[in-house]
């Protein structure tokens, strides 16, 4: 089948790609899905530009893409919750159901998890895929395929807000106005934050952020988040800081805007060890949480998109046709200002 293939670092092609028989076989509890919309993730772009993320190295041609929605076109013999024609979104990580981490309820950190477009596992920038019913979620009529393809990144924000234990009326700072920063800001507001500050270097992205709700944009080239937040709170600080830039420079400042007893969630990926100010954390008795992807949040994300509690549409800034997907990745790799989420529409 025709797929978007990362041949090696900096080489993409749209070509016929043979899918292994075992990957194409429909098990009794699997569904076959025709892909509709696929989001371009920072991780897809990073594999394209660097050929690896941490320990995951692209050693053989790999199909990209893991943020997806589609239509069920075939169901396994034991599938009960989905039927042909259902509109769905898919959770891209399939854990080993018998692993120790999975049995403890932490399937996202199961070392054996198979995650789309993480070498050597193929992604879904291709016409169809086979996926377990348990990780495929039916969409209500009022959630579009484009919104549904945003559920995967949104799940990261919802998982981060859950780990942060947001309380009604909390103030939060989200560092980074990329897709993950903005879905985290939306999740923090949906979880009860009174106001969220979002910091970034890019005014165009901050402008999008400011329209999403009670959000105060902070351009870090002109002001420091700590300065703004301490001034607004008579020196107290924000209850929550979410680090979604992955920048060691940003991480070095995470406690400055934090109030006594506050919580910090580290979301941004770090390829090298980073330092943070443990003394500043100590005097605040700060609680620091780390997240890796998400677990058990897709149904919540779909429910919030359906009810209107969260609107991800303003984050989708560009859509390309599948035929144009090599170009789409070149554009994404150039990190154009003002673009948050780019998506690819699959041929229907
Ligand atoms: Zn993603």
């Amino acid at each position: 089948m025709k797929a978007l293939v990362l041949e090696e670092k900096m080489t993409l092609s749209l070509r016929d790609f043979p899918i292994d028989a075992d990957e194409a076989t429909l098990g009794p509890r699997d569904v076959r899905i025709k892909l509709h919309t696929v989001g371009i993730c920072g991780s897809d772009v990073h594999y394209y530009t660097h050929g690896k993320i941490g320990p995951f190295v692209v050693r053989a041609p790999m199909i990209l893409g893991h943020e997806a929605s589609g239509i069920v076109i075939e169901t396994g013999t034991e599938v009960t919750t989905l039927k042909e024609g259902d509109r769905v979104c898919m959770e891209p990580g399939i854990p080993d159901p018998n692993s120790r981490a999975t049995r403890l309820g932490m399937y996202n950190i199961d070392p054996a998890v198979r995650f789309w477009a993480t070498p050597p596992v193929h992604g879904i920038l291709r016409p169809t895929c086979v996926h377990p019913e348990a990780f495929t979620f039916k969409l209500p009529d009022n959630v579009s395929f484009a919104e549904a393809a945003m559920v995967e990144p949104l799940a990261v924000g919802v998982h981060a807000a859950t780990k942060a234990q947001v309380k009604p009326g909390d103030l939060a700072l989200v560092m980074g106005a990329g897709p993950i920063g903005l879905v985290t800001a939306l999740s923090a507001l949906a979880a009860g934050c009174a106001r969220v500050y979002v910091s970034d270097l890019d005014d165009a992205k901050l402008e999008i952020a400011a329209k999403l709700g009670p959000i105060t944009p902070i351009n870090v080239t002109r002001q420091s988040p700590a300065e703004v937040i301490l001034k607004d709170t008579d020196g107290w600080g924000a209850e929550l800081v979410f680090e979604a830039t992955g920048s060691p420079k940003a991480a070095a400042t995470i406690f400055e805007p934090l109030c006594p007893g506050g919580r910090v969630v580290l979301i941004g990926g770090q390829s090298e060890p980073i330092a943070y100010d443990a003394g500043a954390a100590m005097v605040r008795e700060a609680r620091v949480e780390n997240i890796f992807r998400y677990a058990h949040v897709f149904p919540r994300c779909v429910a919030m998109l359906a009810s209107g509690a969260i609107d991800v549409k303003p984050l989708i800034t560009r859509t390309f046709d599948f035929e144009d997907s090599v170009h789409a990745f070149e554009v994404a790799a150039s990190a154009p200002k003002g673009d948050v989420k780019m998506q690819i529409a699959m041929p229907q």
Side-chain angles (χ1 to χ4, degrees):
M1 57 174 81
K2 199 171 183 188
L4 182 72
V5 182
L6 177 61
E7 309 286 358
E8 57 181 5
K9 182 175 145 178
M10 294 309 288
T11 310
L12 285 169
S13 51
L14 198 57
R15 65 166 168 101
D16 244 335
F17 193 85
I19 299 291
D20 288 350
D22 62 324
E23 215 189 306
T25 309
L26 191 75
R29 300 175 80 177
D30 291 336
V31 291
R32 194 180 309 277
I33 298 155
K34 183 176 182 218
L35 277 311
H36 187 289
T37 303
V38 180
I40 300 178
C41 181
S43 71
D44 294 313
V45 175
H46 201 88
Y47 282 122
Y48 167 48
T49 54
H50 292 74
K52 61 175 179 170
I53 295 179
F56 299 104
V57 182
V58 179
R59 298 185 198 282
M62 176 180 83
I63 301 173
L64 290 174
H66 65 258
E67 303 178 355
S69 59
I71 301 167
V72 174
I73 52 170
E74 194 183 354
T75 55
T77 51
E78 291 171 22
V79 169
T80 57
T81 61
L82 294 168
K83 58 181 193 312
E84 235 176 273
D86 279 347
R87 301 162 65 253
V88 292
C89 64
M90 294 78 86
E91 188 169 339
I94 308 170
D96 171 358
N98 297 311
S99 77
R100 189 165 175 175
T102 303
R103 285 182 289 120
L104 285 165
M106 308 179 292
Y107 67 81
N108 55 318
I109 46 176
D110 171 15
V113 71
R114 288 175 52 83
F115 197 95
W116 281 338
T118 302
V121 182
H122 289 298
I124 38 66
L125 275 162
R126 49 172 147 146
T128 64
C129 69
V130 169
H131 205 57
E133 173 189 22
F135 292 91
T136 305
F137 303 90
K138 195 175 162 174
L139 302 173
D141 291 341
N142 68 341
V143 176
S144 69
F145 286 112
E147 292 170 89
M150 286 296 291
V151 167
E152 197 276 338
L154 176 60
V156 176
V158 170
H159 188 50
T162 306
K163 277 262 180 156
Q165 297 181 345
V166 179
K167 290 195 200 76
D170 276 348
L171 286 186
L173 165 67
V174 175
M175 305 171 99
I180 294 298
L182 296 188
V183 294
T184 301
L186 289 170
S187 303
L189 287 171
C193 278
R195 174 161 292 280
V196 175
Y197 296 80
V198 174
S199 63
D200 203 275
L201 305 152
D202 179 358
D203 278 324
K205 284 197 186 83
L206 288 170
E207 216 170 283
I208 295 173
K211 291 188 193 131
L212 298 176
I215 288 180
T216 304
I218 302 172
N219 188 315
V220 294
T221 62
R222 297 192 289 272
Q223 282 176 305
S224 87
E227 191 186 310
V228 176
I229 291 168
L230 293 174
K231 182 162 170 276
D232 284 1
T233 57
D234 298 325
W236 178 250
E239 279 85 11
L240 306 159
V241 172
F242 296 94
E243 201 306 292
T245 68
S247 147
K249 235 173 118 184
T253 66
I254 46 178
F255 301 109
E256 289 172 13
L258 190 73
C259 75
R263 288 92 74 200
V264 169
V265 185
L266 296 173
I267 307 170
Q270 304 285 353
S271 51
E272 302 292 332
I274 56 153
Y276 69 63
D277 187 344
M282 191 176 94
V283 296
R284 289 167 175 81
E285 286 200 346
R287 184 155 58 76
V288 180
E289 295 277 0
N290 292 273
I291 63 154
F292 184 60
R293 298 172 181 154
Y294 38 73
H296 307 293
V297 292
F298 267 53
R300 291 168 182 271
C301 295
V302 172
M304 287 190 287
L305 294 180
S307 72
I310 283 185
D311 181 9
V312 291
K313 292 190 290 293
L315 309 193
I316 305 165
T317 48
R318 253 199 254 207
T319 307
F320 297 85
D321 284 335
F322 182 54
E323 286 303 318
D324 233 6
S325 50
V326 173
H327 172 62
F329 269 80
E330 288 164 359
V331 173
S334 73
K337 283 197 184 302
D339 262 308
V340 180
K341 177 57 72 181
M342 301 184 197
Q343 292 185 327
I344 293 174
M346 305 302 289
Q348 295 305 305

